[in-house]
Amino acid sequence: MGLTNSPKDTYDNNIKAGDVVFIVNELLENAVKIGASDVHFEPTGAELTVKYRLDGVLNTVEKLPKPLSENVIARLKVLGGLLTYRNDIPQEGRIEIDKSYYEQVTDQRLAVFPTIHGQRAVVRLFYNNAELMNLEQLGFSKKIHAALKQIAAGNMGVLLLTGPAGSGKSTTLAALLRHILKNYPGKSVVTLEDPVEIRIEGATQTQITPHGQLTFPTALRSLLRQDPQVLMIGEIRDAETAKIAIEAGLTGHLLMSTMHSGSPAGAFLRLLEMGIEPYQVTSSISAVLNQRLVRQLCERCKKKSEQTDSFEAVGCDECFNTGYKGRILIAEMVQLDSDLRKAILAKADLEELETLLMSKGHANMLTDGQRLINDGLTTQEELNKVCGFSV
């Protein structure tokens, strides 16, 4: 069993219950060995396809016979403490970690979803990345790194992080909180998360359970009466949470959170669409940080092109013939100045805000990624792909 471009059936239909246990354990163990972030079990009309997400890209690693499909999913549901007899509803759970071979894994989340071909399951793996604990280790440009340290030193305002799932937002927030706890001892640091993905020594962390009575707005209102100085909310999902978060940023709290938006300008507009008054946005938001992760060239096999004078992805056994191994950060940050505040107060649209930022020489993610290409760390093709531009 391995990461290959053309997987073959390695199991026949004469599988016993004990063999299913072995298969599931082996698939999860191998995922950890190569550092996969997710394991997908996708049923089709003919088989159960198993895929690993490696450096943000899905790779097919196994195709199991169709008769095995239900048994494999049932085994995962047992491990995750889910209802094995309910095959018609989505379910979510946690798989306990066997520390004997999962030393670097901090959590395993299981999500099961019904499809026309059977149940689809995804196991998400969370790792303890010691090399990504501190702000200095994340790979921000010098300008953004300095700006983040300045924001962390403040006592009020809101820092918003935007980007798709898996773009490192939680890692950045955790590093920022560790920076505050280390450099400004005595500050009260509290987080509200769904779920708590990274444990932060010295911070009070609370997990918001889905469909429970403790919602983000309820917990946030109560926390503001507990004398916190630094607040981190896992995500601003609705207008009620946004309103309370903005008010917290205006009343002597340093608040950090994430929001679904493709760009910093889009984040400002999303707040306005949620009913936040323009003057509240301009008075409370300190900055918006938009980030992505791009694949890093494999150091063992990367090759310099004579035509472009930049490195290209080749592929070897070390990187499973992808040409890339690991990922690295690209980011853009927008801090409010007088011109941007005036535009937001005038309720400028997305195009107007983007034009204004360009006229002021804003360094977007493509610009930030150029430094990685110049340093031989990634390729233009990978950068264009992550940023949504055609080559």
Side-chain angles (χ1 to χ4, degrees), residues 284-354:
S284 63
I285 302 297
S286 300
V288 177
L289 176 68
N290 188 27
Q291 64 178 63
R292 302 285 188 279
L293 294 174
V294 296
R295 289 184 295 170
Q296 186 169 347
L297 281 166
C298 175
E299 288 295 330
R300 179 177 170 183
C301 66
K302 68 180 183 181
K303 183 180 179 182
K304 200 162 192 177
S305 168
E306 295 180 1
Q307 287 82 10
T308 63
D309 198 35
S310 59
F311 285 93
E312 297 178 338
V314 178
C316 64
D317 293 339
E318 183 75 17
C319 60
F320 304 102
N321 293 314
T322 63
Y324 299 92
K325 188 173 183 181
R327 289 192 289 174
I328 194 166
L329 188 71
I330 58 172
E332 61 179 326
M333 177 182 260
V334 171
Q335 292 178 281
L336 275 79
D337 59 15
S338 59
D339 291 334
L340 190 54
R341 285 189 175 93
K342 288 176 183 176
I344 294 172
L345 288 170
K347 296 186 177 181
D349 61 22
L350 183 62
E351 185 178 351
E352 290 172 324
L353 290 178
E354 295 282 8

Side-chain angles (χ1 to χ4, degrees), residues 19-29 72 75-76 79:
D19 297 324
V20 171
V21 172
F22 171 79
I23 291 169
V24 171
N25 287 346
E26 187 181 35
L27 286 167
L28 295 180
E29 286 180 42
V72 168
R75 175 57 185 167
L76 288 168
L79 290 173

